[in-house]
Structures are given as C-alpha cells and as structure tokens.
Amino acid sequence: SAKLHFSSKSKAERFCHRLTEKIAEDPGDNEWDTEKLHGMVLGTDIKLSTFVQLTRKDKPEAWTTGMKKVLVVVMDWMPGDTSTAPMSSQTLSPSHYESKVFPRVKQAFHDMSFGALEITVDVVPEIIRYTKPRSRYAVDGLPFPGLYNGATDSLSG
C-alpha cells in the first residue's frame, strides 16, 4: 500500500481533517479505493483534490441510463393517527397507480432521457400502513428521509 508523506504534522492533520469532511459531506454516491495508489510515487504534501481524484472508484453505469427496476409501495398513515398534518388518507388502490400513473411516469422518464432510461415497475398489491404516528417520522425531516425511513421500518415489521 502507498504511504502519504507530509512536510509537517500540521499539514498531515489538516489533510486528514479535510478528507474526513469531504467523506462526511459526500451524499453517498462516491467510493474511494486507496489500493489504486499502489506503486505510485505521490510526493510530499499531496493536495486533497489530487488524492480524491486518484482514489475515486469509477462509477458504475449511471442510474439515469439503461433499464431500471422500481418498487412502488403505496403507503397510508397509521389508523387513527392525528399527530400532525396532513390529515389525508390513501383513497386509491395500488392497482390504480400501476395501471394509470406509472405508464405515464415510464413514458415521461423515457422522453426526458431521450430514450436512455427505461423503467419497469413492481407494485406491492396492498396499501401498507405506517406503524408509528407521522409525528415520529417528522423528526427525520419530511418528506425525506422521514417518510422513506418510516416506510422501510413499516415494511420490515
């Protein structure tokens, strides 16, 4: 494996601190592989941007191209939940979304991507209810990631 060399402890600490911030701020799309540095002569005081560029893994095919499979889960609030707005309820069946909504979504994705993105849709055939009051999901931020996290928890039981 490669070793990084710095001209001072403070420069090494600054590099490590900035790298930590870079990784923490990353939305999760990037991965880095220090094995890509194997056999390279890096010199002293490598710039963070150079390190990131050298170690960033090649991304797989973009999510916005090719054929993608999408799982659709129609959610509704826990029965009797009036903990916070909105006070709505799910009135349409999953089959409605499958036959009426998602054919148009598929066509829109195809058109907006100039034919580069196709989706297939699997729809869970029943409405899934959240297992906790909606106010519990608001803590994580609405609508995302709170409702996504709540749906994941509700599906897993």
Side-chain angles (χ1 to χ4, degrees), residues 32 87 147:
W32 291 276
M87 299 304 167
L147 295 182

Side-chain angles (χ1 to χ4, degrees), residues 2-5 36-44 46 50 54:
K3 289 187 178 182
L4 301 180
H5 300 278
K36 290 174 75 175
L37 299 175
H38 185 72
M40 288 186 181
V41 177
L42 301 173
T44 303
I46 188 171
T50 302
L54 289 172

Side-chain angles (χ1 to χ4, degrees), residues 3 15 17 24-25 27 35 44 64 69 72 85 89 95 100 109 121 127 137 153:
K3 289 187 178 182
F15 175 87
H17 180 73
E25 292 170 359
E35 293 298 318
T44 303
T64 56
K69 193 170 190 173
V72 177
S89 64
S95 63
K100 302 290 185 198
F109 280 13
V121 178
I127 295 172
Y137 305 123
D153 290 346

Side-chain angles (χ1 to χ4, degrees), residues 65-139:
T65 61
M67 176 64 75
K68 308 300 175 190
K69 193 170 190 173
V70 178
L71 176 65
V72 177
V73 181
V74 180
M75 300 293 297
D76 199 359
W77 304 117
M78 185 175 86
D81 178 19
T82 57
S83 62
T84 190
M87 299 304 167
S88 59
S89 64
Q90 189 55 254
T91 59
L92 300 172
S93 70
S95 63
H96 168 81
Y97 292 97
E98 186 171 26
S99 65
K100 302 290 185 198
V101 176
F102 275 93
R104 294 187 311 203
V105 170
K106 289 167 67 169
Q107 187 63 49
F109 280 13
H110 178 269
D111 294 348
M112 290 185 294
S113 70
F114 301 99
L117 175 64
E118 300 288 333
I119 63 170
T120 60
V121 178
D122 287 333
V123 178
V124 173
E126 60 189 69
I127 295 172
I128 305 297
R129 294 200 172 267
Y130 285 102
T131 56
K132 297 176 185 164
R134 64 192 93 182
S135 59
R136 294 280 301 275
Y137 305 123
V139 173

